Amino acid sequence: MNAADFPILTTLIVIPAVAAIMCLFLRADGARLIALIATLFNLILGVWLWASYDPSYGQWQFQESVMLFGPVGWKLGIDGISLMLIMLSLFLMPICIGASWRAITDRVGEYMAAFLFMESLMIGVFAAQDLLLFYIFFEAGLIPMYLIIGIWGGKDRIYAAYKFFLYTLLGSVLMLIAMLWMIQQAGTADIPTLLNHDFPPEAQTWLWLAFFASFAVKMPMWPVHTWLPDAHVQAPTAGSVILAGVLLKMGGYGFLRFSLPMFPEASAQLIYLVFVLSMVAVVYTSLVALVQKDMKKLIAYSSVAHMAIVTVGLFAFNQQGIEGAIIVMLSHGLVSGALFLCVGVIYDRLHTREIDRYGGLSINMPKYALFFMLFTMASVGLPGTSGFVGEFLALAGTYQVSTWATLICATGIILGAGYMLYLYRRVAFGEQKNEDAAAMPDLNRRELWLLAPIAAVVLWMGVYPESFLRPIRADVSKIVERIDRAAPDGDSALLADDPAMKGYRVQRAEHGDKEGSAH
Amino acid sequence: MSSIEIIVFLPLLAAIVAGLGQRLIGAVAAKTLTTGALFISCILSWPIFLGFVSGDIQPYVMPVAQWVQSGGLSFNWELRVDSLTAVMLVVITTVSALVHLYSWGYMEEDPDQPRFFAYLSLFTFAMLMLVTANNLVQMFFGWEGVGLASYLLIGFWYKKPSANAAAIKAFVVNRVGDLGFMLGIFGIFLVFQTVSIPDILAAAPEQTGSSIGFLGLRLDTMSILCILLFIGAMGKSAQLGLHTWLPDAMEGPTPVSALIHAATMVTAGVFMVCRMSPLFEASQYALNVVIIVGATTAIFAATVGLVQNDIKRVIAYSTCSQLGYMFFAAGVGAYSAAMFHLFTHAFFKALLFLGAGSVIHAMHHEQDMRYYGALRKHIPITFWTMIAGTLAITGVGIVGLGGFAGFHSKDAIIEAAYAASNAANFGGYAFFIGVFAALLTSFYSWRLIFLTFFGKARWIGSEHIQHSVHKTPKQAGKDTTGGYHPHESPWTMLLPLALLTVGAVFSGYIFKNAFIYAEEGGTAFWAASTLYFNVDLIHAMHEVPLWVKLSSTVAMLTGLLVAYMMYIRSDDAPQKLAATFRPLYNFFYNKWYFDELYDLIFVKPAFWFGRILWKGGDEGTIDRFGPNGSAALIAFGSRMAVRLQSGYVYSYALVMLLGLVALISWMMVAAR
């Protein structure tokens, strides 16, 4: 049976919402079970969706459209890019529920409800085809996350939740104004129509900047990234997983869905703003990550550096750059999610995230050490893991536009290796200097079931990324086609037969003389 | 399954089973499995190599699976088999199989053996992927894969802080080179619109003479591409500037040093330059960079090797120096000579390392040669095999007749440098350095032998020996052996030594025709690969004046003589000499102060900047003028928040929701 004959996107949104309402009225065990069943069932539906998706033509598939009041329509539909990000959300959700199974004991029903609502809203963001519907999903997604940090977070949760809220709100107000102007100007809120609408270039710049304000915070890009480390540190493990795994991807998705195809001229014009901020981000946050003492903070800063690779790739204006950026988004969603789970595993045992309190975990937790090593290597972009495919393609694309941006962003592979291996060494290698850390038991079966699926997908994406590239290929080429008219000239243009380069040719010795002297 | 697929993937399979299933199958099974897999790979590799030598096999590419396709950029998993691959196949699988066997004895007392063997096999797989790559990205996969295995094996004894530090250093310094390699691949894709090696090499002549933008400069296309690739080679092959990780890598178990840090991984850079040689042939500029870096490394590492006391470090610097030889051979255009030296070096250097391991095993893990001496009677087999290795590395032989392995390959390099030298390249520089470094090679190699096997026993000075015999030097009195009895190693360690001895003695003489004699087989052999075989240079090489041919032999004899005078005939000559030339001695002993310099300009500032940016940038500037600035406005509110806890959060969320609803309603009104 094909999923197209069925309002599957609405179903994917409704199931978690219904389950969320049920959770609110259930006791802890019931809520956990309902949440797990709902998210797993949604994942199965997602697999069906992926299997029914036809990658040969891309946008738009599984479209649904019901006009609500006024100009707002319940319009859903996906292309390959949305599909992949929806799959990422659906895949991480049951893992988040599993990660919270024992760690959350307080107000479990409400906690599960917050996560389930968030799942609905995330799918809504990636599936919305109406500008205002998108905005509602995009903004409403903040609320459950805000609650998760603010209620189930750590010691300084209020400050972190407040910072998270302040940053994200500020950006989105500007975006809302821009959206209203666009609806006025184009006369429609329909995203597929807007994608082919040419806004006047002078207006594009302002619109682009308004969207940028919102997406740059969500990415997050330097210098509006400081909410992220605090939010991660305070959030419960599953909150961090979903924050790093999916919420950060909304910024990249926004650039891809709105900024690039709707404002190609402005994107080309402001390309160096994006490049410079990304270059600063890679070096800056990598160095900051190097000196962190808190595990979660370190991984949070590394996220900012990785997201900078996404932004340069997206603005490379070519197939490799954009496809690479999408793969980095998917890969980072999995890998940083897994790294936060790894932190969660030992946090649950020792209740501290301080790196120095651990050490020598390879001795008493060999299985844990193995998974942690795999995700560390994926994070530093070792070939054969998902991280490499994305980074390589994104940077290969960027190189065609700016060699400087490529060089500076590629230093991330050196610095990244530095801070991640330094972290790994302090946590898993060395002597067991802390008795309580040395007494921690290895992964239990539940934790194994959380980490093993992610590990499998990370390797799958590294060795055979075609499964993930095929669905997005047609849609990325549509975007590239659309923005091609504004594509900037690279700084590495090839000039054939340049007469200035004569002196570089190989000159062989006159063997005659030498032979003469030999006899 | 064709034989090449078995050769490459069997070690991977063995590594996975041994690594993940060690508890299930047990240590002995894990060791047997990995060792067996490598011997099978080795047995299957030799026929391929010999087939190319005899000309019975044609090069082919075996597709395995699709990898990445993105726009015009596509690369797949493929196994390329040509004569260049075949040389590497036999080197890798032979040394790896012997090292696996050797580790049965050497690692006998280690509680974590399955992990060690799994890493060794994993390394072998990555290395095989590197040499069978038909596109640059798969080569990069192998390139980084061997880096991972090297990292894991250097840090194998992960409780030791020094081992961990060395492992991270190796990985990070290699990544500096990898950055160059990666940029080179990007540039190549930009220019050629492909990353397939044969396609690039075929298209290279068309792009010769073009220029390309890079970092705002306009540069010769071929020069910049080759130099970027070469930066990758410098990292992996520990060339000057990016060499600092190699000596520290000796923290790993000795079999690892033999396999990875002598015979195979570190030669990957040389292999890459040879693989891409038609590209390098398009730029004299890039070749000159290769010559200068190679030759300078050869002399640098040799000077440092002169004064080191750790037996493994001497051999490590020797490796670094010999890699320099291979590079300048490639730089002058004698790629086949570079590959020949790579081939022979793998045997004699693995032999020297495993021999050193046998000595260390006998001396209760003592690595300092100052506490060795007089060992030749106690461990005679190790002694004789190491003598063979030393004769091979110092290039002992008779011009016109033949000699040990290094005699053929190193002399070929020195002759090529002389023959190729002209006004445009640095062949002359390379020639003189090559001869002088040969003298130093001979000196430090014989110094190692004399300090270890000859003279008086100085064992009691070693803490390891003291622990073993439970005596202090005072208690031992005049008996400088402390009553310690070194034992010859078990057969699992001696058999690999014996087999490698065969290679160290004969591999040069037997295969010289295929590698460096044009009419006798070289032309045909290398035609079945991407290696650029310069027949003119090969002819010129064989016709250099007699004094050139003799020069390296003279240098070798001089080095031997000086070492003999200093370490056998005299007791205190080394100390006196060190005292006389104290600054120079310190300079060499401290490895030209590279580590200190890098620490000062890279490592310390990185941490310093990290702290500044964190405290001063994020917290001191962005937060202070951003969220915290406005936070002050509602400081009262946040104090309330702490008191009210989550109730406050809920109401805030409610406000957000209401705000959203209000905005939407307003929007709808406005839109109408």
Side-chain angles (χ1 to χ4, degrees):
Chain A
M1 183 173 155
N2 194 301
D5 311 329
F6 179 76
I8 185 159
L9 294 173
T10 305
T11 314
L12 283 172
I13 294 173
V14 168
I15 289 176
V18 171
I21 293 166
M22 285 167 71
C23 282
L24 285 173
F25 298 100
L26 284 170
R27 268 191 285 183
D29 284 338
R32 288 188 185 113
L33 203 64
I34 287 289
L36 188 65
I37 291 170
T39 51
L40 279 175
F41 184 68
N42 240 18
L43 177 60
I44 293 167
L45 280 183
V47 173
W48 185 37
L49 176 75
W50 190 0
S52 314
Y53 183 85
D54 182 354
S56 58
Y57 72 99
Q59 66 193 34
W60 303 97
Q61 303 187 24
F62 309 104
Q63 278 183 306
E64 299 168 30
S65 173
V66 179
M67 281 320 283
L68 300 177
F69 41 85
V72 183
W74 181 260
K75 289 191 210 156
L76 301 176
I78 56 168
D79 64 355
I81 302 165
S82 312
L83 174 74
M84 284 295 105
L85 289 166
I86 288 174
M87 287 311 300
L88 178 68
S89 320
L90 294 174
F91 178 72
L92 287 177
M93 236 22 226
I95 292 172
C96 286
I97 304 295
S100 316
W101 206 258
R102 297 252 173 277
I104 302 295
T105 49
D106 191 31
R107 301 190 185 195
V108 178
E110 293 157 47
Y111 177 88
M112 293 297 169
F115 266 90
L116 290 164
F117 270 128
M118 195 141 67
E119 176 167 23
S120 290
L121 297 170
M122 291 183 312
I123 295 164
V125 166
F126 297 130
Q129 294 228 298
D130 182 285
L131 211 50
L132 294 175
L133 191 65
F134 171 83
Y135 184 79
I136 294 169
F137 283 131
F138 192 77
E139 290 308 306
L142 289 181
I143 299 172
M145 193 65 222
Y146 169 78
L147 291 174
I148 289 165
I149 298 174
I151 296 176
W152 293 275
K155 196 159 60 59
D156 296 322
R157 59 183 179 271
I158 306 286
Y159 174 69
Y162 158 73
K163 211 169 171 182
F164 168 74
F165 173 74
L166 193 77
Y167 262 114
T168 29
L169 183 80
L170 222 66
S172 54
V173 170
L174 292 172
M175 183 170 80
L176 180 66
I177 297 167
M179 281 180 167
L180 292 175
W181 192 89
M182 283 161 68
I183 296 169
Q184 290 283 11
Q185 210 266 349
T188 176
D190 185 49
I191 292 175
T193 317
L194 285 169
L195 282 176
N196 292 311
H197 183 84
D198 292 322
F199 289 99
E202 59 277 10
Q204 277 190 22
T205 309
W206 294 107
L207 295 171
W208 191 93
L209 285 171
F211 277 82
F212 182 73
S214 178
F215 300 146
V217 169
K218 273 267 162 58
M219 273 317 281
M221 292 175 77
W222 183 86
V224 288
H225 65 283
T226 63
W227 63 271
L228 186 72
D230 284 315
H232 270 310
V233 166
Q234 298 305 327
T237 301
S240 289
V241 173
I242 217 70
L243 183 60
V246 185
L247 291 192
L248 296 193
K249 308 301 166 297
M250 289 184 179
Y253 177 75
F255 282 129
L256 205 49
R257 179 64 76 231
F258 301 100
S259 303
L260 280 168
M262 291 188 190
F263 323 123
E265 278 78 20
S267 297
Q269 190 190 339
L270 291 160
I271 186 171
Y272 281 96
L273 173 68
V274 176
F275 280 3
V276 168
L277 292 184
S278 306
M279 283 150 73
V280 173
V282 168
V283 178
Y284 183 113
T285 53
S286 296
L287 290 175
V288 174
L290 199 58
V291 296
Q292 295 306 311
K293 296 180 176 69
D294 182 306
M295 268 186 264
K296 270 188 154 182
K297 233 176 189 171
L298 193 154
I299 299 167
Y301 274 110
S302 85
S303 292
V304 183
H306 282 121
M307 287 299 109
I309 309 275
V310 174
T311 43
V312 287
L314 288 178
F315 283 86
F317 280 76
N318 54 43
Q319 192 94 10
Q320 291 85 34
I322 296 177
E323 287 187 356
I326 296 170
I327 298 291
V328 176
M329 280 159 59
L330 299 176
S331 161
H332 176 266
L334 298 167
V335 173
S336 68
L339 286 171
F340 280 120
L341 285 173
C342 285
V343 176
V345 165
I346 51 179
Y347 181 81
D348 287 347
R349 287 163 173 63
L350 216 57
H351 298 287
T352 174
R353 292 177 310 266
E354 202 180 322
I355 298 169
D356 287 343
R357 292 280 287 108
Y358 298 93
L361 295 189
S362 295
I363 301 165
N364 53 319
M365 301 176 75
K367 279 185 221 158
Y368 173 78
L370 179 69
F371 278 108
F372 194 13
M373 171 58 76
L374 174 69
F375 296 125
T376 298
M377 284 298 154
S379 175
V380 304
L382 193 84
T385 65
S386 57
F388 171 73
V389 177
E391 275 181 24
F392 183 84
L393 288 177
L395 291 172
T398 311
Y399 188 92
Q400 298 166 45
V401 183
S402 168
T403 44
W404 266 115
T406 314
L407 175 71
I408 303 291
C409 290
T411 57
I413 71 164
I414 304 170
L415 295 168
Y419 62 73
M420 284 311 290
L421 295 184
Y422 187 45
L423 168 71
Y424 192 83
R425 170 194 171 177
R426 286 178 289 169
V427 172
F429 287 160
E431 292 283 357
Q432 296 175 312
K433 53 185 179 172
N434 301 306
E435 265 176 42
D436 44 0
M440 299 195 304
D442 205 350
L443 296 179
N444 60 33
R445 190 173 297 188
R446 177 179 63 87
E447 290 159 340
L448 209 60
W449 272 106
L450 301 179
L451 293 173
I454 306 184
V457 179
V458 163
L459 291 174
W460 173 16
M461 204 184 283
V463 175
Y464 190 73
E466 180 63 12
S467 309
F468 307 89
L469 285 167
R470 195 188 300 122
I472 64 174
R473 188 166 293 137
D475 297 299
V476 173
S477 34
K478 277 199 187 99
I479 294 174
V480 173
E481 237 169 75
R482 163 98 180 140
I483 60 179
D484 195 46
R485 62 169 196 238
D489 293 329
D491 68 350
S492 49
L494 190 68
L495 190 65
D497 293 324
D498 189 334
M501 302 300 153
K502 260 203 180 115
Y504 292 95
R505 298 286 71 80
V506 169
Q507 294 158 29
R508 286 286 169 221
E510 295 292 323
H511 293 125
D513 328 338
K514 293 251 171 67
E515 276 172 30
S517 58
H519 294 296
Chain B
M1 287 296 260
S2 66
S3 74
I4 185 67
E5 284 171 294
I6 297 172
I7 292 170
V8 175
F9 293 109
L10 199 59
L12 173 68
L13 192 69
I16 293 172
V17 175
L20 299 182
Q22 47 179 289
R23 281 204 200 94
L24 223 63
I25 61 173
V28 177
K31 286 155 69 178
T32 313
L33 187 71
T34 49
T35 312
L38 257 297
F39 271 94
I40 292 172
S41 285
C42 177
I43 290 164
L44 292 171
S45 295
W46 277 94
I48 296 178
F49 174 62
L50 296 175
F52 277 108
V53 171
S54 64
D56 295 339
I57 303 183
Q58 291 305 309
Y60 60 93
V61 176
M62 166 93 43
V64 177
Q66 188 178 1
W67 190 7
V68 170
Q69 205 231 306
S70 171
L73 177 58
S74 81
F75 39 91
N76 296 326
W77 299 106
E78 293 162 320
L79 301 177
R80 177 188 177 86
V81 182
D82 64 9
S83 54
L84 192 56
T85 307
V87 173
M88 297 304 287
L89 283 183
V90 292
V91 165
I92 296 161
T93 55
T94 307
V95 177
S96 181
L98 294 177
V99 163
H100 272 76
L101 180 61
Y102 181 92
S103 303
W104 280 70
Y106 192 83
M107 301 298 283
E108 205 176 1
E109 288 157 21
D110 198 285
D112 221 359
Q113 291 176 62
R115 188 165 62 90
F116 181 77
F117 280 78
Y119 287 170
L120 281 184
S121 293
L122 179 70
F123 164 79
T124 313
F125 161 71
M127 191 70 203
L128 290 168
M129 287 300 275
L130 193 166
V131 300
T132 54
N134 194 41
N135 62 63
L136 287 173
V137 189
Q138 187 185 323
M139 192 188 275
F140 192 73
F141 166 84
W143 198 264
E144 293 250 296
V146 292
L148 167 70
S150 166
Y151 161 80
L152 292 171
L153 283 164
I154 294 169
F156 178 73
W157 288 313
Y158 56 76
K159 289 183 198 168
K160 271 168 73 183
S162 57
N164 288 326
I168 293 182
K169 187 174 178 183
F171 198 89
V172 173
V173 174
N174 264 295
R175 277 248 154 159
V176 177
D178 293 354
L179 172 63
F181 192 172
M182 216 156 127
L183 290 177
I185 298 176
F186 298 156
I188 282 176
F189 173 64
L190 183 87
V191 173
F192 297 103
Q193 290 299 307
T194 175
V195 288
S196 152
I197 293 168
D199 295 352
I200 295 164
L201 300 181
E206 294 164 30
Q207 297 295 346
T208 307
S210 64
S211 68
I212 193 170
F214 185 71
L215 304 182
L217 307 168
R218 184 135 287 275
L219 301 172
D220 179 55
T221 309
M222 289 302 149
S223 301
I224 184 66
L225 294 182
C226 290
I227 287 169
L228 286 171
L229 292 180
F230 181 62
I231 291 171
M234 283 172 68
K236 200 57 68 193
S237 295
Q239 293 299 287
L240 194 66
L242 297 178
H243 67 282
T244 54
W245 63 273
L246 182 59
D248 290 25
M250 298 301 126
E251 287 289 342
T254 308
V256 173
S257 312
L259 174 61
I260 301 184
H261 306 122
T264 56
M265 183 184 85
V266 289
T267 61
V270 181
F271 166 79
M272 187 244 265
V273 172
C274 291
R275 173 61 92 205
M276 303 306 289
S277 50
L279 204 66
F280 281 82
E281 279 299 306
S283 168
Q284 185 62 57
Y285 192 83
L287 287 175
N288 281 345
V289 171
V290 177
I291 295 175
I292 292 171
V293 170
T296 312
T297 307
I299 192 78
F300 152 76
T303 59
V304 177
L306 295 178
V307 293
Q308 298 301 311
N309 293 321
D310 184 312
I311 188 169
K312 284 179 72 182
R313 290 205 175 219
V314 173
I315 308 178
Y317 278 106
S318 158
T319 305
C320 199
S321 172
Q322 297 303 312
L323 291 166
Y325 272 96
M326 296 174 208
F327 274 112
F328 78 68
V332 299
Y335 304 98
S336 58
M339 285 307 295
F340 191 30
H341 199 51
L342 187 161
F343 180 74
T344 60
H345 175 260
F347 296 113
F348 61 70
K349 189 51 67 67
L351 170 61
L352 284 171
F353 257 122
L354 294 183
S358 180
V359 173
I360 294 167
H361 190 258
M363 290 301 285
H364 214 261
H365 300 290
E366 178 55 62
Q367 301 193 6
D368 194 325
M369 295 190 298
R370 284 174 296 186
Y371 308 128
Y372 288 171
L375 282 168
R376 70 180 183 280
K377 297 240 171 58
H378 299 273
I379 44 173
I381 300 176
T382 305
F383 169 67
W384 283 111
T385 54
M386 281 196 82
I387 288 287
T390 305
L391 293 171
I393 190 175
T394 55
V396 173
I398 297 166
V399 174
L401 280 176
F404 290 87
F407 169 77
H408 295 282
S409 56
K410 192 194 283 182
D411 284 17
I413 289 176
I414 290 173
E415 287 161 19
Y418 180 85
S421 69
N422 62 24
N425 70 20
F426 286 75
Y429 171 71
F431 168 70
F432 284 109
I433 288 213
V435 174
F436 186 60
L439 191 160
L440 300 183
T441 305
S442 169
F443 174 81
Y444 66 64
S445 303
W446 286 111
R447 171 177 174 263
L448 184 151
I449 294 291
F450 294 152
L451 279 175
T452 306
F453 294 104
F454 292 84
K456 276 191 302 189
R458 305 176 295 276
W459 310 340
I460 193 61
S462 155
E463 285 181 13
H464 295 267
I465 302 290
Q466 291 165 21
H467 277 296
S468 165
V469 297
H470 306 292
K471 271 184 204 162
T472 61
K474 259 187 196 161
Q475 291 166 334
K478 277 194 181 161
D479 180 15
T480 50
T481 64
Y484 182 76
H485 294 289
H487 287 290
E488 187 61 281
S489 301
W491 73 269
T492 47
M493 291 167 70
L494 295 179
L495 183 64
L497 287 180
L499 291 172
L500 287 169
T501 303
V502 175
V505 176
F506 298 110
S507 64
Y509 186 77
I510 295 175
F511 293 107
K512 67 179 190 297
N513 286 349
F515 280 90
I516 50 164
Y517 282 80
E519 277 74 28
E520 286 82 352
T523 314
F525 182 69
W526 293 118
S529 78
T530 64
L531 184 134
Y532 177 82
F533 189 71
N534 188 340
V535 179
D536 289 342
L537 179 62
I538 293 291
H539 285 156
M541 223 167 90
H542 296 308
E543 284 157 15
V544 294
L546 189 62
W547 68 267
V548 173
K549 292 192 180 191
L550 287 174
S551 60
S552 55
T553 304
V554 172
M556 179 270 293
L557 288 172
T558 314
L560 168 60
L561 191 69
V562 175
Y564 179 77
M565 296 302 285
M566 279 178 74
Y567 292 95
I568 300 285
R569 294 296 298 273
S570 152
D571 277 340
D572 55 353
Q575 287 78 10
K576 271 189 196 157
L577 206 63
T580 317
F581 298 101
R582 181 58 63 184
L584 193 66
Y585 174 81
N586 281 342
F587 185 65
F588 290 165
Y589 185 74
N590 290 302
K591 308 156 237 168
W592 295 25
Y593 296 103
F594 266 100
D595 282 324
E596 287 78 2
L597 192 70
Y598 283 0
D599 196 46
L600 198 70
I601 57 178
F602 295 120
V603 181
K604 286 217 175 81
F607 281 88
W608 185 77
F609 272 116
R611 272 187 294 270
I612 293 280
L613 292 174
W614 179 32
K615 292 290 178 190
D618 268 23
E619 293 182 357
T621 310
I622 299 173
D623 278 356
R624 187 164 155 221
F625 297 107
N628 292 1
S630 46
L633 293 175
I634 54 156
F636 174 72
S638 61
R639 242 177 280 132
M640 289 284 286
V642 175
R643 210 171 306 149
L644 293 173
Q645 289 296 341
S646 48
Y648 181 81
V649 175
Y650 264 124
S651 49
Y652 219 156
L654 194 66
V655 171
M656 283 163 73
L657 196 63
L658 288 176
L660 196 62
V661 170
L663 279 171
I664 302 297
S665 327
W666 176 71
M667 272 160 22
M668 284 183 297
V669 175
R672 199 168 285 170

